[in-house]
Amino acid sequence: MRKIGNLEIEQIAKLAQNDVYQQLGTSSNGLDRAEVQKRQEKYGKNILAKEKKTPLLITFLQNFTSLMAVLLWVAGGISFIAGLTELGIAIWSVNLINGLFSFWQEYQASKATAALNEMLAESSSVLREGKQQDVPAEQLVPGDIVNLAEGADIPADIRLLSSNGLRVDQSTLTGEVDPINKNADPFTGQTDTVSELKNFIFSGTSIIKGNATGVVVKIGMKTSFGQIASLTQNVQSELSPLQKELNVLTKQISLLAISIGALFFLAAVFLVHYPLIKSFIFALGMIVAFIPEGLLPTVTLSLAGAVSRMAQKNALVKKLSSVESLGSASVICSDKTGTLTQNQMTVLHLWTPLRSYHVTGQGYAPHGSIYDGPHQRSVKNDPELAELLAGGLLADNAKIEEPNDKHSGYACIGDPTEGCLEVAAQKGGFNSAAERKQHPRQKEFPFDSDRKMMTVVIEKGQERAFDSYTKGAPDNVLAKCSTYFSAGKSLPLTDSKKAEINAANDGYAKQGLRVLAVAGKILPKDTKASNLEEDQVESELTFLGLTAMYDPPRPEVKKAAAECRKAKIKVIMVTGDNGLTAETIAKRIGIVDRKKNVKVITGAELNKMNDNALKDALRGEIVFARMAPEQKYRVVDNLQQMKQIVAVTGDGVNDAPALKKADIGVAMGKTGTDVAKEAADMVLTDDNFASIVAAIKEGRGVYSNIRKFLLYILNSNLPEAIPSALFLLSGGKIPLALTVMEILFIDLGTDMAPALGLGRQATEKEVMNQPPRSTKEHLINKTVLLKAFTWYGALAALLSTVGFFLNNAFNGHYYPALPTAGWDYRQATTLALGAVIFCQMATVLNCRFDTETLFTKQNFFSNSLVYTGIILEGLLLLALCYVPFLQEIFGTARLLLSDWVFLFCLPLPLILLDELRKYLVRKNS
Ligand code: ATP
């Protein structure tokens, strides 16, 4: 194959199909493996050049140049100049460790999102060596034959070989928003712009309607899109509201810290008459200790961690901010088929105007028979059954595969609603392959969720009674029928016959079955299929019968629905299926309350309702049926007006507006179109409703963990500040129980490691027993402040002050004659420091669970990172007490045995006290 330029694109557009193959060195069977490999080596990957990433070194340095970091560099520098080398080293160490820590966390977070990008990569259905297979779109090469369905993103520049009702959105390329009709006819004439070529579809654009087969001509940066765009659609990395809030919060706390520092400075100068430089250093310690340096990266990592955990639970989140929206979701609008149910169809009943049948056998294995009461029926002796089953089979794009090395049983490749019709046809006596071969398809009017039907025009031959077969939702198909088929004849469809058909339909729907109607049409002789329009074929139809199929609910869904109920998350089924079917399934899986009056609103009824009536209905138990995807948008919009945070599922092209409008658009990974996946915030790899609930739980969990983390960070501020306040307020009579260096040590040594563990705390069961969080609620609320300062912080401050006086007493010093320097003073401050650290150990355990008790095997042992942090804290304290070099730097001293006894007595009562608080909270709620 030669290199192809723009001029040659026009020439390829002019070629007939066989010449296209020849020009591109391929065939109707596609390329063989060796050729694919050769071309991959020659042309490279089918990818667009990625956005230039910030070099790692720059990202690394950015962590040391933020406003806070600069402040600390300057503060450390001043300490050096003032001759306080140890303090300078300590402040710079705080800065350095924070920077490294932040960089590490950001790096981990970006690794998690990069992994996600790979999971979201698109795949293409390609024909190679005569076999249809799915390959990652980046592996396509020129000459590949690809199949593209409605909603697909076009992965390369492709010359069409065949198409059915194809309409393409080329707006990314041309700015033109109206979809363009495309077809495979060779191009005649001339054009300046390749995008005008009707038989070419281009990378970066998408199929809005219809389907097509084509041959890849250009890939990657050589495509028209590649030439204008240099960015790929990536996981977006903008800051989430939570991250923004934290950014502001960090600044506010820093400002507060600086104000407190200034106040302490003035007090030191005027109340204690400290020299200026000493006062400055004193205030500096306070400021450094109060600034929550590592907060933002820790939160980013927590969110990224949640994203990774969600991915393991089959929910791929595209933006960190979606994690938060998920946490506050109050309504889920869910499709039925495939999301709440398994999308594993088995035809259980058939109905023709002459009789009704039941079908035996399960799954996609063609083992089973069709009975009319006790009599087995076959297509050979039942013309009505034969036409019904033939219609279903010939208007079916799925394929049933026998057991092979990929699947142990029979499997349906394609839409199960269609596949099960082939199985039923085989049970009725058809050889599906032979029947399809005998009546090749001439034209297809593909299924779409608005028409709710699809039609095929076939070669009728001698055996079949009709030239075209239509299958779809019974109400829609019946509306297009004027006759029905009985005893080999088409008879007028009277109102009473219609009522009979509707009654049969309702009977099946009430059992929760999905019902499809099949109809046929005899077209005028010598009709050219390619000239036929949809309206011509889908009118004046002859009704053939009904097929009723069973689609079992997903086993996990019942539990997930119950969880939603407890968590005050409303689940609304929004389905294209029949109202009775939808209601039965909704009741069966428990997303509506059986005892309450359930309102079923159909798409047609919704159109007649005004917004107020809709809002009223949305407040009760409700199911939407026979909805067109576009109508979902209105439901989402109204729910949002009611201040609800809405998650909505979707898979088709027409679902995209609702997916975009929703707070969390959820696309189906297996059955969803590329267009839906792009519009969504989250993609479910297993299409399962239960995965949405798992993601919500994770979203709630991460928020509560961040709160725990904040609570822990904040609470140590009080014991750090109280000794200085006592010192200042007593005019220096009460010596400083914690020195500046010791405060910095707490900030560095004890705030970080255990706090990191809190960010990884497993989600508490309790989070799903509470109503959704209001989006207006701030991370730091009254409860957090009260708990941090008047509970955990106050207790630690009290105990550390007690420790200070106690050690003095052990050494025979009593107020007001307390030492302010020397070994005894150092020992007393060391005990005060030890007391803060031991209280922190208890506090981190107390913070792990909001209301649950720590004392279950599961809860106690579930977070090894927290325990590692605690051990690290203990080791650091030991080092400070016993390593002479560190004693010198931090002004610490060896502790007495009685000091250690005091320290070891601290955690347990603190934990028990908090257990009592949790118990009371649990009891009262
Ligand atoms: P949900 O919206 O919950 O996924 P659904 O699959 O029923 O449910 P649609 O895909 O919009 O929603 O289908 C609407 C209706 O169209 C179905 O209830 C069915 O009657 C009919 N239908 C679905 N698939 C096909 C098909 N492949 N061919 C013909 N008719 C179909």
Side-chain angles (χ1 to χ4, degrees), residues 35-281:
E35 186 61 26
V36 169
Q37 203 170 357
K38 233 164 76 190
R39 293 189 187 198
Q40 275 172 346
E41 275 159 29
K42 185 169 173 192
Y43 297 104
K45 283 189 173 173
N46 177 32
I47 45 175
L48 299 176
K50 288 215 167 101
E51 188 180 1
K52 271 213 177 85
K53 271 199 182 150
T54 320
L56 213 59
L57 184 67
I58 304 281
T59 326
F60 179 73
L61 291 177
Q62 274 167 355
N63 285 294
F64 298 97
T65 51
S66 67
L67 182 68
M68 292 310 140
V70 170
L71 258 172
L72 292 182
W73 289 130
V74 173
I78 294 176
S79 309
F80 280 117
I81 294 168
L84 297 160
T85 318
E86 287 92 355
L87 188 65
I89 292 177
I91 294 178
W92 279 12
S93 305
V94 171
N95 219 9
L96 199 72
I97 292 179
N98 268 325
L100 286 173
F101 191 59
S102 303
F103 171 71
W104 175 78
Q105 297 195 84
E106 272 170 19
Y107 181 69
Q108 294 291 322
S110 74
K111 256 190 10 198
T113 34
L116 211 65
N117 262 327
E118 269 170 31
M119 288 192 230
L120 285 165
E122 280 168 12
S123 71
S124 296
S125 165
V126 52
L127 186 73
R128 286 180 181 163
E129 296 181 330
K131 283 200 198 107
Q132 205 65 44
Q133 47 194 283
D134 280 342
V135 301
E138 63 171 37
Q139 287 176 14
L140 288 181
V141 289
D144 264 332
I145 312 284
V146 288
N147 260 338
L148 294 158
E150 180 175 301
D153 276 348
I154 297 162
D157 285 0
I158 291 168
R159 159 70 209 262
L160 293 173
L161 298 171
S162 68
S163 70
N164 282 306
L166 189 64
R167 284 167 75 75
V168 173
D169 173 2
Q170 289 201 154
S171 55
T172 44
L173 210 56
T174 60
E176 169 68 50
V177 277
D178 289 335
I180 316 276
N181 290 325
K182 298 263 178 176
N183 60 53
D185 299 343
F187 171 68
T188 50
Q190 281 201 318
T191 179
D192 292 336
T193 26
V194 285
S195 59
E196 280 174 11
L197 292 170
K198 288 276 181 275
N199 61 4
F200 254 90
I201 51 177
F202 299 94
S203 170
T205 66
S206 50
I207 297 187
I208 295 300
K209 232 181 168 76
N211 51 42
T213 305
V215 54
V216 173
V217 177
K218 285 186 175 193
I219 60 165
M221 292 304 283
K222 296 277 182 299
T223 60
S224 304
F225 190 64
Q227 283 164 21
I228 58 164
S230 58
L231 303 180
T232 45
Q233 292 255 341
N234 261 332
V235 170
Q236 293 161 27
S237 56
E238 92 248 33
L239 288 188
S240 73
L242 184 63
Q243 286 170 304
K244 284 184 198 151
E245 185 184 335
L246 277 164
N247 235 341
V248 174
L249 196 77
T250 308
K251 286 191 184 127
Q252 283 170 347
I253 299 181
S254 305
L255 213 68
L256 190 75
I258 292 171
S259 315
I260 294 178
L263 213 69
F264 275 34
F265 172 78
L266 294 176
V269 175
F270 295 107
L271 297 181
V272 195
H273 309 294
Y274 256 19
L276 283 185
I277 195 81
K278 210 170 164 190
S279 306
F280 173 73
I281 298 301

Side-chain angles (χ1 to χ4, degrees), residues 658-857:
L659 290 173
K660 278 198 185 133
K661 172 83 181 137
D663 301 274
I664 309 124
V666 185
M668 300 300 136
K670 279 191 186 162
T671 54
T673 57
D674 296 336
V675 172
K677 286 183 206 165
E678 251 154 51
D681 304 293
M682 181 165 105
V683 179
L684 297 183
T685 50
D686 61 351
D687 293 9
N688 191 343
F689 173 80
S691 305
I692 308 177
V693 182
I696 290 182
K697 191 169 171 187
E698 200 64 61
R700 285 187 175 197
V702 80
Y703 194 88
S704 110
N705 280 355
I706 291 171
R707 232 184 210 167
K708 288 172 188 171
F709 167 82
L710 256 176
L711 174 64
Y712 179 74
I713 292 270
L714 287 179
N715 99 86
S716 64
N717 284 347
L718 204 65
E720 283 169 339
I722 290 289
S724 305
L726 287 178
F727 168 71
L728 293 173
L729 292 175
S730 68
K733 284 206 193 76
I734 302 177
L736 264 181
L738 281 177
T739 64
V740 173
M741 289 296 280
E742 282 165 341
I743 291 175
L744 288 179
F745 175 76
I746 296 174
D747 202 39
L748 247 183
T750 70
D751 266 5
M752 275 190 200
L756 191 67
L758 284 180
R760 298 282 176 88
Q761 184 69 15
T763 303
E764 270 179 87
K765 274 185 241 110
E766 197 47 38
V767 296
M768 290 304 266
N769 290 336
Q770 290 158 5
R773 172 176 55 87
S774 150
T775 40
K776 286 207 199 90
E777 193 181 316
H778 288 291
L779 204 57
I780 295 196
N781 58 12
K782 222 164 59 195
T783 325
V784 172
L785 289 176
L786 280 176
K787 254 198 204 168
F789 293 119
T790 62
W791 183 238
Y792 298 134
L795 283 172
L798 178 74
L799 292 170
S800 104
T801 313
V802 167
F804 180 74
F805 283 101
L806 206 62
N807 177 278
N808 272 312
F810 291 150
N811 285 325
H813 308 295
Y814 297 94
Y815 182 80
L818 299 175
T820 54
W823 183 258
D824 283 0
Y825 170 69
R826 280 166 60 169
Q827 207 174 51
T829 65
T830 309
L831 184 57
L833 169 71
V836 176
I837 291 178
F838 270 72
C839 288
Q840 288 290 84
M841 291 176 181
T843 305
V844 76
L845 292 177
N846 287 339
C847 286
R848 285 186 60 203
F849 298 96
D850 249 346
T851 51
E852 273 177 39
T853 170
L854 175 69
F855 295 106
T856 65
K857 202 169 150 204

Side-chain angles (χ1 to χ4, degrees), residues 315-336:
L316 306 184
V317 172
K318 295 206 281 180
K319 292 182 282 186
L320 289 187
S321 55
S322 312
V323 177
E324 292 163 47
S325 319
L326 270 166
S328 44
S330 56
V331 181
I332 309 173
C333 295
S334 174
D335 287 338
K336 172 180 70 70

